[in-house]
Amino acid sequence: MSHTSDSSATQDTSGVVGGEVTSGEYERTPVPTKARLGFKSFIGMYAGEHAAGTELMIGPLFVLAGVAAFDVVIGLLVGNLLAVLSWLFLTAPIGTRVRLTLYRHLEKIAGRHTVILYNLANGVSFCFLAGAMITISATAVGVWFGFPLPTLSDLLPNSLGWVLSVIGVGVVITVVAAYGYRFVSWFANIAAPWMVLMFLGFGIVSLKWFIDATGAEASSLSDLWTLADTAIWTGVEVPGQPSFSIWHVIFFAWFANMAMHVGMSDLTVLRFARKSWYSIASAAGMYVGHFMAWLAASMLFAFQMYDAGLTSEAAVIAASEAGQIPTPLPGPLADQALGIAGLICVIIAGWTTANPTIYRAGLAFQAIVPNVSRFKVTIGTGILTTTVALFPGVAMQLLDFVALYGLLLMPVGAMIFIDYWVLPKLGLKSFYAEYTGQQFTLPVIATWLITLAICLFMVQFAGIEIFFVALPGWFIAAGLFALLSFIAQRKRVDPSAAPSSPTLETS
């Protein structure tokens, strides 16, 4: 994942959703022809966004979840393809027709005050995501200075060195974010190609370790697959960790960036695309970051498990009961593989992800308190994020958090889809809040809350894992929004006004 992070703020430099256009970013108006970008711009953007600090944490968590070789390789191939298709068929067609930011688009559908609620949810989620990235960078600092690092079971800070490291990294990241996105973006674009090569290096080094340790042949793809199946991803589960099948991998890869494609956050990015099909550039991010980088990081930790003799279910259970399961910390893993270069990669990978994420969280919060400067809001956001980073349990539960984050924003994407494609066909009005001048619209708020309540009920009481509830949740949100829109509009919409989609072009 990128960012991870929400791409919806990438192009937004004003920081105030409700303000007028004060820059060349077209925050309140459709992107004109002269400002649209070519295909290469999106390849670079998606590759850079999705090969970042989170990859160093997510890869090892697959090993802890007990994935088998077939499950992780085929699951990631299929899941990432579904993610690319979601960008291609859900987000891009609307983004390149209406050409508005997500925030402006949602404001027209749901009203200004609803956008504020959305920003609050987004901002808090960003703080937790950026906090995990600060945690990742701090693990590399810990290796450098030699203080104790958190273990897999640590939820609270475990040493003064850890606290000072997190605070130091958090201060640097927050100050840079507060001074603006342009430097952050420039630095990330410079660092991204190097980080991709470093991820590839992690995979090559760890593969050599496995070949040397096992004495396996590596003269053909068949030999490599046998090695992967018998020594790297063996399917041995660690007690107390999620248990992943191929379906878990598919749905996690598909929905790791659900907020961006199914949730429509990348309307803000793709509104600049000259053609809708440019969204296939997302494959650069999915198969460089969410395939190659996840597998490479996974292999690093898999060798740590192998080297500790944890190759059977009995050995893993015994080690778990004794509290001896290795901790998947990016710093030590990278140091073991590539030394100082690996540590620098971890620090930069965490930094280049946390920096724009804190910046975006600051924008989201400033939209709630527009009278406070973006600088001050971003500093406050950085303090909150650094506080989150002090607790290593946040990063250790990153798989669940990513799923929850996407679930939180998924209903918004379903409502945008229905508003654009379906409501006019039902004789209803798109952009209903703009039509009526409402600041809140009941169909949107009710759909959002009811959908989330149903999904969380399915997780808590129906035994459905969080990775699987987003897909039925999307259809629940879509049906609810269509029904509630019909109820709300039947007396307020002028029958003589022909409903129509807010289509500005047919690119």
Side-chain angles (χ1 to χ4, degrees):
M1 75 169 273
S2 83
H3 38 104
T4 251
S5 63
D6 177 18
S7 303
S8 61
T10 302
Q11 302 289 346
D12 186 352
T13 59
S14 71
V16 181
V17 174
E20 296 305 318
V21 178
T22 57
S23 68
E25 302 297 341
Y26 312 101
E27 296 94 337
R28 305 285 294 173
T29 59
V31 174
T33 302
K34 65 179 181 180
R36 296 172 194 174
L37 302 174
F39 183 61
K40 290 182 180 178
S41 298
F42 296 92
I43 290 181
M45 188 278 292
Y46 277 108
E49 288 278 0
H50 296 277
T54 42
E55 278 53 82
L56 290 164
M57 200 70 211
I58 289 175
L61 294 178
F62 280 130
V63 177
L64 288 172
V67 293
F70 180 87
D71 293 346
V72 71
V73 174
I74 301 303
L76 289 181
L77 285 173
V78 174
N80 286 319
L81 175 61
L82 291 171
V84 173
L85 294 177
S86 296
W87 266 297
L88 181 62
F89 292 114
L90 289 179
T91 316
I94 297 177
T96 55
R97 285 169 167 82
V98 184
R99 297 195 178 275
L100 294 173
T101 68
L102 167 71
Y103 300 122
R104 180 61 173 151
H105 198 122
L106 182 59
E107 184 179 338
K108 287 174 173 283
I109 295 172
R112 165 75 177 140
H113 292 165
T114 307
V115 173
I116 291 176
L117 289 178
Y118 179 88
N119 280 338
L120 180 62
N122 240 349
V124 172
S125 298
F126 286 155
C127 286
F128 277 86
L129 184 62
M133 296 307 97
I134 293 175
T135 298
I136 286 172
S137 290
T139 65
V141 177
V143 173
W144 218 312
F145 288 95
F147 56 76
L149 294 175
T151 67
L152 192 63
S153 59
D154 284 330
L155 299 178
L156 301 176
N158 68 329
S159 69
L160 178 61
W162 174 255
V163 172
L164 294 177
S165 172
V166 168
I167 291 175
V169 173
V171 167
V172 172
I173 289 173
T174 299
V175 170
V176 173
Y179 274 102
Y181 189 78
R182 291 185 183 277
F183 175 73
V184 174
S185 178
W186 171 80
F187 184 81
N189 287 334
I190 295 296
W194 175 74
M195 286 195 298
V196 168
L197 291 177
M198 293 297 289
F199 281 121
L200 182 60
F202 291 149
I204 293 172
V205 168
S206 56
L207 179 61
K208 183 179 184 304
W209 288 344
F210 273 109
I211 292 172
D212 292 344
T214 62
E217 292 289 334
S219 57
S220 67
L221 289 177
S222 177
D223 291 339
L224 292 176
W225 182 258
T226 299
L227 175 64
D229 192 40
T230 57
I232 302 177
W233 297 288
T234 61
V236 176
E237 301 172 5
V238 175
Q241 298 296 314
S243 177
F244 269 30
S245 66
I246 187 172
W247 293 108
H248 290 84
V249 178
I250 289 173
F251 274 81
F252 181 82
W254 184 9
F255 291 149
N257 286 113
M258 178 164 52
M260 279 81 244
H261 46 72
V262 173
M264 298 285 185
S265 285
D266 271 2
L267 290 178
T268 305
V269 169
L270 293 172
R271 68 194 169 113
F272 284 93
R274 292 196 187 109
K275 299 292 184 181
S276 178
W277 65 265
Y278 288 4
S279 57
I280 65 170
S282 58
M286 294 302 97
Y287 288 100
V288 172
H290 291 191
F291 184 76
M292 184 270 285
W294 281 357
L295 290 182
S298 179
M299 291 169 67
L300 280 179
F301 183 65
F303 184 79
Q304 193 175 31
M305 294 282 284
Y306 180 88
D307 197 41
L310 304 178
T311 57
S312 67
E313 184 177 353
V316 169
I317 292 175
S320 178
E321 292 174 348
Q324 296 176 344
I325 296 293
T327 302
L329 295 177
L333 291 174
D335 178 56
Q336 185 181 8
L338 297 174
I340 295 296
L343 292 178
I344 293 173
C345 177
V346 172
I347 293 172
I348 292 178
W351 184 29
T352 56
T353 308
N355 244 323
T357 305
I358 291 176
Y359 175 82
R360 289 163 177 157
L363 289 180
F365 288 139
Q366 197 214 7
I368 302 172
V369 286
N371 293 329
V372 181
S373 72
R374 185 194 60 79
F375 184 90
K376 291 180 180 179
V377 172
T378 305
I379 292 294
T381 302
I383 293 173
L384 174 60
T385 300
T386 303
T387 302
V388 171
L390 289 171
F391 301 92
V394 174
M396 299 301 178
Q397 299 298 320
L398 192 58
L399 291 181
D400 285 335
F401 172 73
V402 168
L404 180 61
Y405 169 54
L407 182 65
L408 180 65
L409 303 182
M410 168 271 297
V412 171
M415 288 184 277
I416 289 174
F417 180 89
I418 294 297
D419 185 83
Y420 184 85
W421 294 111
V422 177
L423 292 193
K425 292 180 173 60
L426 299 178
L428 303 175
K429 191 76 175 177
S430 295
F431 287 173
Y432 183 62
E434 181 180 56
Y435 176 78
T436 61
Q438 294 178 339
Q439 299 298 304
F440 270 114
T441 54
L442 184 60
V444 172
I445 298 298
T447 296
W448 199 353
L449 295 179
I450 293 172
T451 300
L452 291 179
I454 293 174
C455 288
L456 293 177
F457 178 86
M458 287 192 287
V459 171
Q460 292 295 322
F461 301 105
I464 302 175
E465 294 182 74
I466 193 170
F467 304 103
F468 300 124
V469 297
L471 185 59
W474 191 93
F475 288 99
I476 291 169
L480 271 174
F481 182 64
L483 175 62
L484 295 176
S485 294
F486 174 79
I487 295 171
Q489 292 192 29
R490 59 180 177 174
K491 293 182 179 179
R492 298 199 61 167
V493 174
D494 182 0
S496 65
S500 61
S501 293
T503 303
L504 301 181
E505 57 185 271
T506 57
S507 64

